[in-house]
Structure formats: structure tokens, C-alpha cells
Amino acid sequence: MGRRLRTHAVTTEQTSKVSMLEGALTGLVAAALGLGLAELVAGISANLRSPVLDVGNRVVDLVPGFLKDIAIQLFGTKDKIALLVGIAVMLALYAAALGIIARKFHIRYALLGVALFGVVGAAAASADRAGSVWYSPLPSLMGSVVTGLALVYLSAEFGCTQVKETPSSRRRFLAHAGAGLATAGILAAGGRMLNDRFNVAAVRDALGLPIPADPLPFATGVEAEGAVPFFTPNDDFYRIDTALAVPQVDPADWTLTVKGLVDEELVLTYDDLLNRRMEEFDITLTCVSNVVGGGLVGTARWLGVRLDDLLEEAGIQPGADQIVGRSVDGYTCGFPVSTLDGRDAIVAVGMNGEPLPLDHGFPARLVVPGLYGYVSATKWLSEIELTTFDAFDHYWVPRGYAAEAPIKLQSRIDTPRGLQKIDPGPFVIGGVAWHQTIGIESVEVKIDDGEWQAADMADAANDVTWRQWSFPWEATSGRHSITVRAKNKNGAIQTDERTEPLPNGATGLHKTVVLVN
Ligand SMILES: Nc1nc2c(c(=O)[nH]1)N[C@H]1C(S)=C(S)[C@@H](COP(=O)(O)O)O[C@H]1N2
Ligand SMILES: [Mo]
């Protein structure tokens, strides 16, 4: 370009402030245009993602276990939104800074900053997640080129503070900025529309589910007053995973491969899977990151095929001691071959009477009773690999979590909620307790520093779901603490020793405080 872009000395402080603001806005508009274009480019192929998602995914993969737990404790299942908002804020600050640099120092430095941004995005896009291809960096690269061009153009048109700011030049600048932002919005919206063709929600909605071979009778007597519903509705079921954008897997293009240390590799299509013996299983799923009293636990009626049947058909070779479940997005879980002791470990395709929701692993996932989700419950399942613990660390192991993780004995008070205000008189305390696959024998409740007292137990559906309990109480005025503990069917009593989720699940007793008027 022939034009000189160097900025000139600022004459008055006021001009300086205005030009800082205009510089920041220039940076924001340029970045928005680049990101808008990147979004559009990302819409071309299912293998491409917006740089924001690519960088976000990279951040997720680089985060060690303890930081993930902090994020979950701070933001709960909104941790992904928190991360994306954090990235957006950082990007905006960065872009504004580049705009100011272009104006105050030299466009050259700002362009270096844009290039750096493009390189980071490109690197994040080609990171080792499954689904990255040679052209994955395209959105980032094209986006940063557009950002650079926009910055050059806007700085050339409006960057020279020597030209006296007049109301008309300011109006022209704001008109340009507005047009830039609108264009960015249109580009991004176009990208989103293009991306919609990869969304499989409609495909899922059109699917029916096979009828189970032996429909499971509906569990009765399993609910206790004060506890959450025995079956967690799909919409309320906690969601924990490393996928910032939910993988869109069309069952028509999907296969499940059983491979590794097996006699015969199996490749099953979705229809192959549905044509096997379908059974129903009530199983409580539990996340290792759940803190004492937390909500990362839920129960569903799963429909699927037995994993032991599938592996018997493939033939597990001697020496294999780990079963790895790999997701289409590269996530892996791993659990001992010895887990398959007859328990109902399954490849699930249905959840509470529907095809698996997209968030919960459509079209197929693993569910293994008795193990925390991170070692067992791979969603968007694509491969089951027989290997050894020596040969392979599953996803969370290098990030500080234990390679093996059976679920720990836990109990939770659902009613009252912490610091709930209630009236004196009869009040029913209620909650859930779980220790898959051993099962819950009894639950005890303690008011303030009193004696442990037996709770009323709802029926146990089986030993792999939570068991509900309630405790009728005569509430007296004042502030009271309520503590709960459970005993499992082996006679073990829940420990009061408090430990963090890392490295293999939290322990300690749930205690809540209630305010009686
Ligand atoms: N592909 C994939 N599967 C995954 C995970 C993941 O990050 N990616 N997280 C696991 C963890 S930590 C848990 S607790 C369960 C949660 O399953 P849900 O989201 O259906 O409740 O999924 C497991 N399966
Ligand atoms: Mo988890």
C-alpha cells in the first residue's frame, strides 16, 4: 500500500483520549470482522470450527484436574459458558489494545499482534483432538488476514490524528465502525446457518427406539418425600465433558469399532447395534468432580446392549487389562477388564425412553455401574479398545486423576436446601444415598450435635442406583444443622473425613443448615 500509516504527535489531551477510544474501537471492529469471516469459513466443513472454539478446546485440554474442579465448583455445569465468556473478554481486550497500538505507535506492531493471534488460533485448530485435518487452521488464518486488512484500512482512513477531528470526520468513523460490526454480524450469522446443516437434532428427533427384549417393570416405592425424583429428567441431568461444542454425530455415518487386544475386530453400524439384544437398565451415573452435597449425579433408565456380550464376541486376548472407550472428539476413558464381573455395563443408545440426548452422547455411549463417569462413561463413543494400563493413560490420568476410580459411598440432603427458612413444627428432611455397585443398607441423620437417628428408607430399585430416604422431624425455632451419613450393604459407614474430588472422588459428610422461624 502506498499510504504512510505512521501516526503523529497528539496535540491536546482531549484529542488523545478520543483517539484512544477510536483506536480501541478500530481494533474491536477489525477483530469482529476477522472472527465473523472465520465463523463463515468454519461453516464450510464439519471439520472446521471457529477459532474461539478451537482455542477454548485447547484451553480445556491443557487444564490440569485441580483447575477443572475449581472451575466446576465456581461455575457448576456452566463452566463452558464461563470459559467462552472469558475468552471473548480476553479477545476483546486484545483487539482493543491492538487498535490503540496501531494508532499510537505503528500499524506494523498491531499487524504483528494480529499475526500472533492467527498463529495461536491455527495451532489450537491443528492440536491433536480427533477431527482436526490439514485445513483446520483455515478459519484462523483467513480470519487474521481479514482482521489485518481491516486494521490497515481503518487506520489509514482515520488513524492520522494530525488531521483535525471534526464532527463530520467522527461521524464518518462511527459510520464505518457500525458498518464493520454489522458486516461481522452478518458473516457470523451466515456461518452459523451453514453450520446448522451439521446439526443432528432433527435426525435424532426422527429416530425411534427399539423395544427392549424384556421391558423392565417401572420401579415403585423407590421415591422418598423430600428427595429429588428417582429418575432424573434428561433436561435436568448434569452434563460434564470437555466438548465446548457438542459433537454432531449422524448415526448414518457412525460406526463403533471394537479393537486392540481382541481375537476379532468388530465394526458395528448404528443399525447393527440396534439389532442386537436391547435391554433396559436403571443406573445412577456419578461424576468424580462432585463435591459433597453436589449435583453431579443422576439416575436414568438406559437402553442398550451388554458390553460383556459384545466383548465376548470380539474375544478378549490374554494380557489385556484395560478397556478404553474413545469418543469421536478424541476423549478417552479407561477401566479394568476385571470390572466386567457380570454387572450391567452397557453401550447405551437410549436414556429415559428417548434416543440419547445430544449432550449425553448421541448416538451411543458407555455406562458402567460402580465407576465414576470419567473412567467409564464415554459419550459420542466411536471405539472400544482392549489394551493395558501400562500401555495407555486415559484422558484424565496425565491431568492428575487416578487411573482407576470406583464410586465412593455418599449421601446428600435434598430438603431442606442450605439456609432454607422453614416454620417450626413437622418437617420432612429427605435425600439420596449411593454406593454403586454395593448398594445402600441404611441412612442416619443427626440434628445439631445429637445422636445419629435412622432415616426411613425407600425401596432400593437395585444396587446400582441411588436409594432415597426421608426423616420426619419436629423443627424447633432457631438455627439447626442437619448431617447425613449412609451405610452400605457391606456394613461400611460413610467416612466423615473430608477430601477433595482430586484424585479419585470426594469424601465427607453432607451437612446443611436450616433456619426455623
Ligand atoms: N466424550 C466424552 N465423554 C465423557 C466425558 C467427556 O469429557 N467427553 N466426560 C465423562 C465424565 S467426567 C462424566 S462424569 C460423564 C458425564 O455424563 P453426562 O454428561 O451424560 O452426565 O461423561 C463422561 N463421558
Ligand atoms: Mo465426571
Side-chain angles (χ1 to χ4, degrees):
M1 82 223 81
R3 209 187 301 233
R4 290 192 61 198
L5 297 166
R6 192 140 46 82
T7 57
H8 300 264
V10 187
T11 45
T12 71
E13 209 176 279
Q14 205 195 353
T15 325
S16 163
K17 256 191 206 140
V18 168
S19 90
M20 285 277 273
L21 273 179
E22 289 189 352
L25 187 53
T26 303
L28 286 172
V29 170
L33 278 167
L35 286 172
L37 183 91
E39 196 78 40
L40 188 70
V41 174
I44 293 172
S45 151
N47 289 320
L48 297 176
R49 282 165 304 273
S50 126
V52 178
L53 278 181
D54 277 329
V55 169
N57 280 332
R58 203 66 202 123
V59 171
V60 168
D61 283 348
L62 290 173
V63 154
F66 79 92
L67 267 185
K68 180 228 10 181
D69 283 343
I70 291 175
I72 288 178
Q73 278 161 43
L74 280 177
F75 304 111
T77 48
K78 301 250 185 325
D79 56 344
K80 294 183 173 67
I81 295 172
L83 175 64
L84 290 175
V85 169
I87 291 175
V89 169
M90 303 268 283
L91 266 177
L93 290 175
Y94 187 68
L98 291 185
I100 293 171
I101 287 172
R103 190 165 280 230
K104 294 266 149 193
F105 301 100
H106 199 290
I107 183 78
R108 196 189 298 143
Y109 302 123
L111 288 181
L112 266 179
V114 174
L116 181 69
F117 163 83
V119 168
V120 168
S126 33
D128 56 1
R129 279 213 176 196
S132 74
V133 287
W134 66 267
Y135 54 91
S136 294
L138 211 60
S140 282
L141 295 181
M142 293 186 64
S144 47
V145 167
V146 164
T147 298
L149 289 175
L151 207 53
V152 167
Y153 173 76
L154 290 171
S155 302
E157 282 295 300
F158 305 102
C160 198
T161 47
Q162 194 187 42
V163 177
K164 202 159 180 302
E165 288 257 12
T166 61
S168 97
S169 75
R170 186 159 313 150
R171 229 177 291 122
R172 215 170 77 80
F173 171 74
L174 289 177
H176 268 71
L181 289 177
T183 308
I186 290 167
L187 290 172
R192 285 289 157 83
M193 274 168 65
L194 282 175
N195 235 306
D196 267 353
R197 51 189 216 289
F198 309 123
N199 190 299
V200 294
V203 175
R204 174 188 175 271
D205 292 347
L207 281 180
L209 273 182
I211 306 290
D214 282 314
L216 203 57
F218 205 77
T220 53
V222 295
E223 307 240 352
E225 192 178 342
V228 294
F230 181 79
F231 287 110
T232 314
N234 289 353
D235 287 343
D236 297 342
F237 210 97
Y238 80 91
R239 170 186 172 203
I240 291 290
D241 55 62
T242 59
L244 278 183
V246 176
Q248 303 293 320
V249 185
D250 188 334
D253 314 325
W254 174 86
T255 55
L256 173 62
T257 305
V258 182
K259 65 177 212 181
L261 299 173
V262 291
D263 297 330
E264 193 195 338
E265 191 168 300
L266 304 179
V267 180
L268 298 124
T269 64
Y270 190 64
D271 285 340
D272 293 340
L273 201 59
L274 294 196
N275 286 329
R276 297 178 76 93
R277 183 185 163 84
M278 282 285 153
E279 291 178 79
E280 289 179 317
F281 306 89
D282 295 342
I283 301 169
T284 296
L285 202 65
T286 312
C287 181
V288 71
S289 299
N290 195 36
V291 291
V292 173
L296 304 181
V297 52
T299 300
R301 172 159 291 189
W302 307 94
L303 178 76
V305 303
R306 296 189 67 89
L307 183 59
D308 49 13
D309 280 354
L310 211 57
L311 294 184
E312 196 187 340
E313 189 173 319
I316 302 178
Q317 292 188 341
D321 65 10
Q322 183 177 210
I323 301 170
V324 168
R326 186 169 283 109
S327 165
V328 297
D329 68 357
Y331 177 88
T332 51
C333 71
F335 53 97
V337 170
S338 60
T339 307
L340 300 186
D341 54 4
R343 74 183 69 185
D344 299 329
I346 55 170
V347 175
V349 295
M351 182 176 182
N352 290 328
E354 297 172 18
L356 275 182
L358 303 192
D359 284 357
H360 295 290
F362 181 76
R365 75 174 303 170
L366 285 169
V367 178
V368 181
L371 302 184
Y372 286 119
Y374 84 99
V375 294
S376 65
T378 299
K379 305 190 274 189
W380 315 288
L381 182 68
S382 64
E383 283 179 8
I384 297 171
E385 183 175 5
L386 271 291
T387 178
T388 65
F389 278 96
D390 277 347
F392 185 77
D393 282 339
H394 56 82
Y395 185 89
W396 282 108
V397 175
R399 293 166 176 83
Y401 277 91
E404 297 188 35
I407 292 169
K408 294 178 179 176
L409 174 56
Q410 264 300 342
S411 54
R412 187 182 76 192
I413 300 162
D414 293 338
T415 310
R417 298 248 132 239
L419 298 181
Q420 189 177 325
K421 292 193 177 93
I422 63 169
D423 291 328
F427 184 87
V428 179
I429 302 168
V432 290
W434 62 88
H435 198 190
Q436 315 90 303
T437 59
I438 296 164
I440 295 296
E441 176 68 39
S442 60
V443 165
E444 292 175 312
V445 172
K446 186 167 79 170
I447 308 293
D448 300 320
D449 291 321
E451 297 290 305
W452 285 108
Q453 303 177 66
D456 297 333
M457 302 304 295
D459 290 343
N462 55 40
D463 291 334
V464 297
T465 46
W466 54 23
R467 186 160 178 196
Q468 308 209 329
W469 57 271
S470 61
F471 184 84
W473 178 44
E474 273 297 315
T476 55
S477 287
R479 180 189 166 103
H480 297 287
S481 75
I482 304 166
T483 316
V484 63
R485 72 175 184 191
K487 187 164 138 188
N488 73 14
K489 287 196 175 164
N490 291 343
I493 292 176
Q494 187 184 337
T495 177
D496 62 359
E497 194 197 330
R498 276 235 164 212
T499 61
E500 293 296 308
L502 194 79
N504 62 0
T507 60
L509 304 185
H510 189 203
K511 180 177 180 172
T512 193
V513 168
V514 60
L515 307 168
V516 187
N517 292 323

